[in-house]
Amino acid sequence: MTTVIRTEGLVKRFGRTRALDGLDLDVEAGTVHGFLGPNGAGKSTTIRILLGLARATEGTARIFDDEPWGWASALHRRIAYVPGDVSLWPNLTGGEAVDFFARLRGGTVDRAAYTERRARLMQEFQFDPRVKGRAYSKGNRQKVALIAAFATPADLYVLDEPTSGLDPLMEQVFRREVDRVRADGATVLLSSHILSEVEQLCDRVSIIRAGRTVESGSLGELRHLTRTSVSFATNGLDPAAISALPGAHDVAVDEARVRFTVDSDAVAALLPELGRLGVQGLTVEPPSLEELFLRHYGDELAATGAEEAPRA
Amino acid sequence: MNGFGALLRQRLRRDRWTLLWWILGTTALAAIVPGAIGSSYGTEAERAGLLQLTAQAPAILIFRGTPNGADEGAFSFFLIFAFLGLMAGLMNTFLAVRHTRAEEEEGRAEQVAATPAGRITPTIATVAHGVLADVVLALLVAAAFAGGGLPVSGALVTGAATAAVGIAFLGFGLVAAQLFRTSRAANALSVAAVLAAYVVRGIGDATGERSADGLHVTPGWASWLSPIGWAQLANAWNGDDWVALLLPLGFGLLLVLAVLGLQRVRDLGASLLPGRRGRASAGPVLASTLGLAWKLDVGVIVAWAVGGLFTGLLATSLTPLVDAIATDAPQVGDTLQGIAGADGTIEQALLTTFFTIGGLLAACCAAQIVIKARQEEARGTAELVLATPVGRVRWLAAFLAVAAIGAVLALAATFLGAVLGTASIDDPSQALRDSALAALGQVPAALVFVAIPALCFVLARQATIPLTWALLGLSGFLGVFGELLGLPDWTHDLSPFAHAPTPQGDDYDWSGGWWLLGVAAVGIAAALVLMRRRQVAGDG
C-alpha cells in the first residue's frame, strides 16, 4: 500500500504556544482515516499545513510524496477540501460558489458529467442554489462546501469536521458520499469529534492530543488496548465464584446483574468459565470509540473539573 | 416599556466609540470654519466678492449652500451647513440600520424579542438613542461656532438644524430597515437617499433666484424635496427661522410612526420587499480568481468612477470662473497661479487641482480593492480558494490587477466628466488636451496605491486596512493641500500626487510619471515575491 499523507515530527508554533508538538500521521491510499481530537488539539492546524496554507515550524509533511507548502497549487488538483466552518461571499449565490470552486479545480471540463453530478448532489442534499451567501444558515453553508467537494472527483478528500451543523438525514447523505468515493479508490482524511460517524466510516483512526498523536491504528487494533464490558444476570450465583473469574476487573454485583470489565485479549479465555457457571442474559460489549477517546482524555476532564471547582 | 432602559444603555455602550468619532468629526468640521473664514475671507468685501462670484458658475453652489448675506455668520452657514447635514444624515441612517435590520439579520433581535422587551421596544430604544446622539451633536456644533466667536443664537440654530436633518434621516433609516432583508441593502438605500438629499438641495441652490446685489439666493423648488434643503431654510445668523426646522422634524416623526405601525404587522426577520433570489449557476466571468476579484469589486469601481465623473465635470465646467477670479478675488488667483507654476495658466491650475482629486479617488478605488484581499483572508473565503489549484501569488495578483484596472477606469470616468464639462466652453480644444494629459498623468500616482496596500498586506496583514488609509490620507492631504497650506516642500514631495505629470502651458514633463511607474512596479513585484513566503491566516 502506498502512503498518501505522511507527517513526521510536525511542530507548529504561534508565538509561544505550540499548536503542534511533533505530530506523526500516516494515511494509506484508499482508506478513510479518522482524525480525532477535541477542539484545540491541533486538527485544523495540521490540515492547514497539509494544504500548504501554513508552514510547519519543524518536521516534514508530504502529500503524494510532494511537499505541500511549495507545491500547493499543483497538489490541489488532486485534493478536495471541506472546512468545518464555511464562509461564503455575501453577494454570490450558493450555486455560483459551487460552480466557481468546480471551475478552479478543473471539474467542469466534462460539462455534461459535471452538470449531472451537481444536480444529483443538490437534490440529495436538498440544497437551494439561488440564495445569496449571506442568507444561508450554518448547515447550508456547509452544504456548499460539501457539494463543491464531491461534485469534482479527487484523489484525496480532506474533510475538517465536515458535518457540523448538518441534520441527521444530511449526515446520512454525507456518509453515502464518503462510501462512494472510497469505492472509487479515493483516500479520505476525516477530522471529527463525532465518534459514531468515525466508527461507522473509518478504516483507521489517529487520536491526537495537545498537538501529538497518542494512538493510531485500525479500530480493531485500538480496541485491543482497552477492556470489554461483560454483564449477566445475578441469579443467586456465588460472589466468590464471580470474583475468581480470570481477568475480571472492577466487579460490581447488584440484585439483578453482575458487571465487570475484562482485557480485550482475555475475552476468549473467559468464555468457557462463564459457560461452566451457566450464566444467563449474557452481554459482551466491545469498547466504543467513546471509551477509547475518554481513556485518553478522561484525565483532562478530571483536571479541568478540578481547576474550575474553586471558581464556582 | 419593559427593558427600555436596558436596551438604551446597551445601544449607548455598543456605539460609544463609533458615535464619538461621528460626532467629534462633524463638530471638527464646524469648528474649523470660523478660523478659516478669518484667514481667507477676513473682510466683508472679500466675502461679498466670493458670493457674487458664484453667480458666474452656480454649479459651485452644489458643494456649498444658499448664499444669504456676507456677514461672518451667514457666510459660515453658506460654507458648511450642507456638509454638516450630510454627516448627520449618514450617522443617523447607519445608526438606525445597525440596531434594527442588522440585529434581525444576525439573529440577535430574535433573542431580544423573546425577552419581555418584545418586538417594538428595541425600535423605540433605537429612536431614543438616535435622538440623544443628535442632541449631543447639536450642542457640540453650536458650541463650536459660538466658541469661534459667532453669535450664540445663530450657532444654536445651526446645531438644531444639523440635528433636525439627523432626525429626519433616523426615520428614513428605520423605514429602509423595514423594506429589506439585509442591512446591506438598507444601508445602500439610505446612503443613496442622503447623497440625493445633498445633491437635490444643491440643484435647488444652483437654480435659485438671485437678489439684485448678488448676495442672496432664494432656493429653487428642488430644495423643497430634500430634508437638508428644508433645514437650510432656517437661515442661521440671518433671521434664525426656527419654524423651518419643524419640516425635517415632522418628517422624521412621521416616518418613525409609520415604522412602529409596520412593526405591529410584520414578522420578525421578514421584510416588506422579498429578498432577491440570485443565479442558480455561475456566469462565464466567475471562472478564475481574476473573475472573482472583478465580480467582488465591480461595485466599488462604479462608485469611485461616479465620484471621478463629477470631479471631472467640475474641472472644466468651472472654467468660466477663472476670469472672474482674476479680477474679483486676486488672492485666490495668486494661490491658483502658485499651483499652476510659472508656465501654467490659471485654467490649467484649476483643472490640475480637480484632476489631482480625481487621482486621489482613483487611488482610493485601487486601495479599497487590494484591501478586499485582506478581507477575503479574514473572512475565510481566501482559504477555500487557496485549497483549490490556485497559488497564493496568482490569487493576490488577481486583486492587484483588478485594482489597477479600477484606478484606470476611475480616471477615465474623470476624463469623461471633463469632456462633458466642456460643453459650455466655446473652444474646448485646449481644455480637452489639458484634461487628457492631466488624467494620464494621474495614472502612475494612482498605481502607487496598488503597490502600497499590497506591501502592507504582505508585510503587516493585521494593519493592512488602517495603514493603507492612513498613508493614502496623508498623501492626499500633502499632495492636494500641502502647497495651499504653505507646508515645507519636502513634506509635499513625500506625496506621490506631487510628482504626477501635469500640463503647464504647452509643456508636459513626464519624468515624474516614470519615477512613479517605477515605484509602483517595484512595489507590486516585491509584494508578489514576498507573497510566496507568506502564510494565509485562517482568522483575524
Side-chain angles (χ1 to χ4, degrees):
Chain A
M1 264 202 183
T2 51
T3 305
V4 172
I5 297 175
R6 164 162 290 162
T7 75
E8 276 167 14
L10 216 51
V11 173
K12 179 69 183 176
R13 268 192 227 101
F14 294 111
R16 281 198 183 157
T17 51
R18 281 167 89 90
L20 296 182
D21 192 13
L23 185 117
D24 300 316
L25 177 67
D26 279 284
V27 178
E28 304 291 331
T31 62
V32 177
H33 195 108
F35 194 38
L36 281 175
N39 299 327
K43 299 191 299 288
S44 295
T45 306
T46 308
I47 285 176
R48 291 172 54 75
I49 291 174
L50 291 176
L51 289 172
L53 297 171
R55 203 165 14 164
T57 315
E58 286 166 35
T60 56
R62 305 194 69 83
I63 294 190
F64 297 118
D65 259 338
D66 271 326
E67 186 276 312
W69 175 255
W71 299 98
S73 44
L75 281 173
H76 291 169
R77 287 182 205 291
R78 307 175 64 181
I79 300 176
Y81 168 55
V82 177
D85 194 355
V86 178
S87 327
L88 292 176
W89 296 279
N91 51 343
L92 298 187
T93 65
E96 284 180 295
V98 166
D99 286 346
F100 177 58
F101 288 124
R103 285 169 180 175
L104 290 183
R105 288 179 50 209
T108 55
V109 177
D110 184 351
R111 267 217 86 73
Y114 169 72
T115 312
E116 186 268 314
R117 283 193 302 267
R118 177 187 191 271
R120 179 180 63 79
L121 286 164
M122 291 214 174
Q123 198 195 348
E124 293 202 355
F125 278 108
Q126 296 170 18
F127 179 73
D128 179 354
R130 300 185 52 173
V131 178
K132 299 266 175 159
R134 69 170 75 81
Y136 282 119
S137 66
K138 161 100 182 83
N140 276 317
R141 289 202 305 273
Q142 210 62 37
K143 287 181 191 176
V144 170
L146 285 168
I147 294 172
F150 290 121
T152 302
D155 294 331
L156 170 64
Y157 292 80
V158 178
L159 312 176
D160 188 1
E161 299 183 10
T163 55
S164 50
L166 290 192
D167 62 46
L169 286 175
M170 292 302 117
E171 280 179 33
Q172 282 301 323
V173 177
F174 166 73
R175 288 174 199 186
R176 275 211 301 278
E177 286 302 313
V178 172
D179 284 337
R180 181 182 64 81
V181 299
R182 172 177 26 203
D184 290 345
T187 309
V188 179
L189 178 66
L190 173 64
S191 140
S192 180
H193 50 215
I194 303 174
L195 301 167
S196 61
E197 183 175 276
V198 174
E199 214 157 21
Q200 208 178 333
L201 283 173
C202 295
D203 308 306
R204 298 179 73 80
V205 171
S206 292
I207 299 180
I208 73 163
R209 168 174 185 174
R212 259 174 212 272
T213 316
V214 288
E215 209 75 80
S216 195
S218 70
L219 279 176
E221 284 165 12
L222 292 186
R223 282 188 173 133
H224 272 287
L225 301 171
T226 56
R227 296 189 184 145
T228 298
S229 12
V230 179
S231 91
F232 46 83
T234 311
N235 264 2
L237 289 170
D238 179 12
I242 296 168
S243 308
L245 286 170
H249 297 274
D250 311 325
V251 181
V253 183
D254 63 23
E255 306 224 322
R257 291 189 75 77
V258 177
R259 289 167 221 277
F260 58 85
T261 61
V262 60
D263 288 329
S264 293
D265 48 9
V267 173
L270 177 71
L271 289 176
E273 297 296 320
L274 294 177
R276 207 161 304 145
L277 285 175
V279 298
Q280 292 181 337
L282 175 68
T283 62
V284 178
E285 279 178 274
S288 67
L289 192 54
E290 188 168 342
E291 280 166 281
L292 282 175
F293 196 71
L294 288 178
R295 199 170 77 103
H296 286 291
Y297 287 100
D299 56 330
E300 196 170 82
L301 280 178
T304 51
E307 267 170 34
E308 277 168 11
R311 254 190 278 155
Chain B
M1 281 202 284
N2 291 311
F4 174 79
L7 287 166
L8 182 59
R9 269 201 304 280
Q10 182 251 11
R11 280 157 173 69
L12 291 169
R13 164 120 185 108
R14 234 186 104 189
D15 280 356
R16 63 197 190 284
W17 293 114
T18 320
L19 281 183
L20 184 76
W21 290 120
W22 272 106
I23 292 176
L24 287 186
T26 313
T27 307
L29 210 57
I32 56 174
V33 168
I37 290 180
S39 60
S40 308
Y41 302 103
T43 68
E44 179 129 8
E46 282 171 326
R47 293 192 291 269
L50 189 96
L51 288 176
Q52 283 153 351
L53 203 62
T54 61
Q56 313 278 334
I60 206 167
L61 293 183
I62 293 178
F63 298 89
R64 291 303 178 191
T66 322
N68 232 327
D71 73 70
E72 231 171 303
F75 192 75
S76 304
F77 194 72
F78 157 75
L79 277 186
I80 203 68
F81 177 72
F83 286 126
L84 298 180
L86 184 75
M87 295 285 280
L90 291 176
M91 174 178 105
N92 277 274
T93 58
F94 284 133
L95 179 149
V97 173
R98 182 163 61 238
H99 292 291
T100 54
R101 177 55 66 183
E103 291 287 287
E104 286 185 52
E105 195 183 9
E106 296 289 325
R108 291 189 290 258
E110 196 168 286
Q111 265 173 291
V112 172
T115 70
R119 286 176 299 125
I120 312 286
T121 317
T123 306
I124 299 174
T126 305
V127 174
H129 175 47
V131 171
L132 216 57
D134 287 325
V135 169
V136 174
L137 178 66
L139 293 174
L140 286 179
V141 166
F145 283 115
L150 294 171
V152 176
S153 62
L156 284 174
V157 172
T158 310
T162 308
V165 173
I167 286 168
F169 281 108
L170 179 68
F172 190 91
L174 290 170
V175 170
Q178 303 291 313
L179 293 178
F180 296 107
R181 273 297 292 274
T182 63
S183 56
R184 198 181 138 103
N187 276 327
L189 177 72
S190 305
V191 170
V194 175
L195 291 177
Y198 178 84
V199 172
V200 164
R201 166 226 52 91
I203 292 171
D205 284 333
T207 58
E209 201 172 319
R210 200 169 277 265
S211 65
D213 60 1
L215 297 183
H216 300 263
V217 167
T218 311
W221 59 268
S223 285
W224 288 93
L225 302 176
S226 157
I228 302 180
W230 301 334
Q232 234 178 203
L233 297 173
N235 283 329
W237 292 291
N238 184 14
D240 289 343
D241 191 356
W242 286 87
V243 180
L245 298 184
L246 289 178
L247 263 171
L249 287 174
F251 178 73
L253 182 69
L254 215 64
L255 292 182
V256 166
L257 291 177
V259 163
L260 293 178
L262 280 173
Q263 282 211 313
R264 288 195 185 280
V265 296
R266 178 174 74 88
D267 292 353
L268 193 76
S271 56
L272 293 184
L273 301 176
R276 271 225 313 261
R277 287 169 67 78
R279 318 169 56 109
S281 52
V285 173
L286 204 56
S288 62
T289 41
L290 195 66
L292 176 72
W294 173 260
K295 203 159 157 55
L296 293 177
D297 291 314
V298 67
V300 171
I301 296 175
V302 169
W304 289 108
V306 168
L309 191 79
F310 279 107
T311 310
L313 203 59
L314 287 177
T316 46
S317 64
L318 292 183
T319 313
L321 265 184
V322 169
D323 299 333
I325 287 175
T327 50
D328 296 350
Q331 267 177 309
V332 181
D334 288 349
T335 314
L336 284 175
Q337 189 68 59
I339 295 175
D343 301 330
T345 64
I346 295 188
E347 282 91 343
Q348 282 174 334
L350 194 70
L351 194 120
T352 300
T353 305
F354 280 106
F355 269 95
T356 306
I357 294 171
L360 192 59
L361 296 180
C364 287
C365 177
Q368 198 182 342
I369 292 169
V370 179
I371 282 174
K372 273 277 172 69
R374 168 63 195 147
Q375 291 165 333
E376 289 277 295
E377 180 183 40
R379 185 166 57 201
T381 37
E383 181 177 310
L384 282 170
V385 173
L386 290 171
T388 70
V390 170
R392 291 181 294 276
V393 175
R394 191 149 68 90
W395 173 78
L396 179 61
F399 282 92
L400 301 189
V402 172
I405 294 169
V408 171
L409 289 179
L411 278 166
T414 313
F415 176 65
L416 184 68
V419 172
L420 296 175
T422 56
S424 62
I425 303 176
D426 295 335
D427 175 19
S429 61
Q430 178 71 26
L432 287 176
R433 169 196 174 267
D434 288 347
S435 298
L437 293 180
L440 201 63
Q442 292 298 325
V443 171
L447 290 183
V448 170
F449 286 92
V450 177
I452 286 177
L455 286 169
C456 292
F457 174 71
V458 176
L459 296 173
R461 64 181 162 85
Q462 304 270 10
T464 306
I465 297 174
L467 201 59
T468 299
W469 289 121
L471 288 172
L472 186 49
L474 194 67
S475 304
F477 179 75
L478 292 175
V480 178
F481 299 109
E483 207 156 351
L484 290 174
L485 296 176
L487 296 176
D489 276 353
W490 66 268
T491 58
H492 184 216
D493 286 344
L494 286 176
S495 167
F497 299 103
H499 305 283
T502 55
Q504 305 218 336
D506 291 332
D507 295 337
Y508 186 58
D509 177 9
W510 244 84
S511 57
W514 292 126
W515 276 107
L516 291 172
L517 280 180
V519 168
V522 169
I524 290 170
L528 290 176
V529 169
L530 288 168
M531 189 65 195
R532 293 162 70 104
R533 301 193 47 80
R534 183 179 173 293
Q535 302 179 55
V536 174
D539 48 349

